[in-house]
Each structure stands twice: as structure tokens, then as C-alpha cells.
Amino acid sequence: MLDFKRLTLLRELHLRGSIASTARMLGVSASAVSQQLAKLEAEAGLPLLEQVGRSIRLTPAAQQLIARVDEAVSLLETASAELENRRSRIQGVIRFAAFSTFARTYLPETLRSMAAIHPDVAIEFTQLEPSEALDAVTSRRADIAIVDEFTHVPRRADSGLVRTLVTTDQLDIYLPHPVSSVAELAELNWAFEPRGTDAYVFSRNYCRALGFEPRVLFDSPDPRLHCELVAAGVAAAFLPQMVFNSFGPRPGNITRFEPPAGLNAPPMFREIHAVGRRSSNLRPAAKSFLQVLQDVAR
């Protein structure tokens, strides 16, 4: 009989890509992970890992095992949800992940409402950027995560996940001083989110759609810092409305860019989704939490 905990460890290795990353996520040593995987190989009677240069790769047998582990965990989650639906009170634990501006804007009121409506539901919160939060859901370290999706930059699809639209967030370009042409935008220094993120891709694509290549000198995942750089007069930035909702009113010395007449500027907004596993979302506690999230955001 294969040890289920070791099987989930193998799945985590598949998600993380290395023993070192898996060990860091679990808070154990790399040697402890290697020992457990060696025991799993002995139980299976087949090689599960193979060395490829300086890295390791899962064998076809290991890939098949991981697919079965996913099926087993999904069945267990569905069975747990069915039991919870039989209870007279909604109770349980919801592990929730969201990025900072969403959390500052909506989390306190969401927690207050949940405590008033469903006092037997405990909410555990972790602040994570959208890509990290999505990984946390797929690896079952979180039940529900908040992710954003920018216009024309779709996030990856996963058949095992369900997305619930929570709200939309207007985006605008903010400048340290007014400009009268697109050419002047090209002369400004810009603050962008880190390269490779959806926000970075959206911002660069939008600038190119306007007809210029942005000069990006400031790289940070913190939109509050972007706002402060604009207010200091040293950068332009794409800022979501949620930044002003969560960190305070818009500084009076920054200017929102108004496209010149005749310029066909694409729409700027992002959709905010709550993402959960299909089986986990069947739980009454999860359904209630999603409803409260939508109500608070509305």
C-alpha cells in the first residue's frame, strides 16, 4: 500500500520543480524530502525520479501516480463537502489568499460579515501575489484565492478550478505633470510591475498600442510605491482604482492621462476573480464566503 503523504509529497515536487523548492515550501530539509521520496520509490517498486543533468525529472510512472493522487484528493474533498452539507450549521476553515490592495480594501469587512453571519467558519488569510495565490490553490495550500485578469492578458485555464467574478477595477495612467501628446509620454520615466507579470505585459502592450515604447526605470510589485513615485514627480505609472480605495485618496499633484481627441485608446480595466478548486467550492462554508466577498465588493 502506497503511503498517501509521500504521494502528496511527490505531487508537490512536481509542482515546485525541485527538491530544494519543495523542502522550502514544507519547512523541512532537502534530505528529509529525498528520504521520503526514496521510501516511496521502494513502495512502488519502480523508479519515480531520474537525473537529467543537475536537475531531476519525474518518470512516466510518477506522472501517472500524481494524476491518481489528484483524483483521490478531489474525491475526498467532494466527500467532505457532502458531509458538511448535511450539518445544520455552516462551519469549517477557509484558507484564503489575496494580494495586498484587495485585502486592504475588502478583507476587514469580509471578515466582519462572515463572523456575524457564520460564526462557526474560521478564515485563515495569507497575502500572496496572484500567480502565487493561484499556485497555492492548485497545490491545496489555499482553498480560495484572489487573482486579477487584465484586458487581453488571459490567465492560464485549469479544468479543476472554478472562477467567480468578484468585481472589476478601473485602470488609468497617472502622470507627474500634464502632457498634450503621446510623444511626451515616451519622454517620461515609468514605474512598472516586475517583468513577466501580467500587469507588466498589459502595461507594455498598452503603451505600444498608444504608439510609444515606455522607458521603464522603476520595477516594483507595490502599486503604492508607483503612486508615490508619480506624486514625487519622477515617474508615470498605471494605477488601479483599488490603490486609492485601500491606501487613501489620490494625491492632488498627480494627473490622470486623457487620450488626445482621435486617439483610439483601448479600454483599461482588470477583472478580479475568486478562484477555488471545483470539489472544494462545493463546501457550504466556501459558497458562503464567496457570496460575502461578492456582497462586500459590490
Side-chain angles (χ1 to χ4, degrees), residues 9-274:
L9 179 62
L10 180 68
R11 182 183 183 279
E12 197 64 41
L13 174 63
H14 171 64
L15 292 170
R16 300 291 146 201
S18 72
I19 288 177
S21 297
T22 302
R24 280 196 299 272
M25 193 283 297
L26 296 174
V28 300
S29 67
S31 61
V33 172
S34 297
Q35 289 170 10
Q36 291 301 310
L37 292 173
K39 290 179 180 179
L40 182 61
E41 280 192 320
E43 291 172 349
L46 289 169
L48 300 178
L49 306 174
E50 56 186 2
Q51 196 75 30
V52 180
R54 300 180 64 180
S55 61
I56 59 171
R57 182 171 62 194
L58 274 65
T59 65
Q63 297 281 358
Q64 186 176 14
L65 273 178
I66 289 169
R68 296 304 186 193
V69 171
D70 284 339
E71 292 176 10
V73 174
S74 181
L75 282 172
L76 288 172
E77 286 183 337
T78 301
S80 178
E82 290 171 349
L83 288 176
E84 287 187 31
N85 275 290
R86 290 179 175 272
R87 296 172 184 160
S88 58
R89 293 174 65 86
I90 294 177
Q91 55 189 175
V93 177
I94 298 295
R95 297 168 299 167
F96 178 56
F99 53 90
S100 62
T101 49
F102 182 94
R104 287 180 64 100
T105 304
Y106 299 119
L107 182 61
E109 180 61 20
T110 298
L111 295 178
R112 188 199 65 77
S113 296
M114 281 296 295
I117 302 170
H118 303 295
D120 295 329
V121 176
I123 309 298
E124 297 178 357
F125 171 72
T126 305
Q127 181 178 310
L128 294 174
E129 291 302 305
S131 59
E132 298 172 320
L134 192 58
D135 287 341
V137 171
T138 57
S139 63
R140 290 180 164 81
R141 291 179 290 111
D143 301 307
I144 296 172
I146 294 296
V147 301
D148 51 4
E149 185 168 307
F150 293 83
T151 316
H152 306 306
V153 188
R155 285 198 174 273
R156 74 173 192 253
D158 189 318
S159 60
L161 300 182
V162 179
R163 300 196 310 172
T164 302
L165 180 64
V166 176
T167 188
T168 57
D169 192 20
Q170 177 67 32
L171 292 162
D172 287 293
I173 293 174
Y174 286 92
L175 310 171
H177 56 76
V179 301
S180 57
S181 68
V182 171
E184 291 181 72
L185 294 178
E187 298 301 315
L188 297 172
N189 299 325
W190 288 79
F192 272 23
E193 299 235 4
R195 184 181 296 271
T197 61
D198 287 357
Y200 176 94
V201 173
F202 168 80
S203 301
R204 184 171 289 279
N205 288 350
Y206 196 91
C207 292
R208 289 173 176 173
L210 290 180
F212 75 99
E213 190 69 26
R215 184 169 62 214
V216 182
L217 296 189
F218 308 104
D219 177 313
S220 169
D222 185 356
R224 180 173 52 176
L225 175 60
H226 294 188
C227 183
E228 290 169 349
L229 291 172
V230 179
V234 298
F238 288 79
L239 297 175
Q241 180 60 40
M242 201 177 290
V243 172
F244 306 122
N245 294 341
S246 60
F247 293 109
R250 187 179 81 190
N253 62 330
I254 69 175
T255 302
R256 184 169 61 185
F257 173 66
E258 299 292 345
L263 181 65
N264 186 23
M268 276 201 293
F269 66 91
R270 60 177 178 169
E271 292 183 339
I272 309 299
H273 294 269

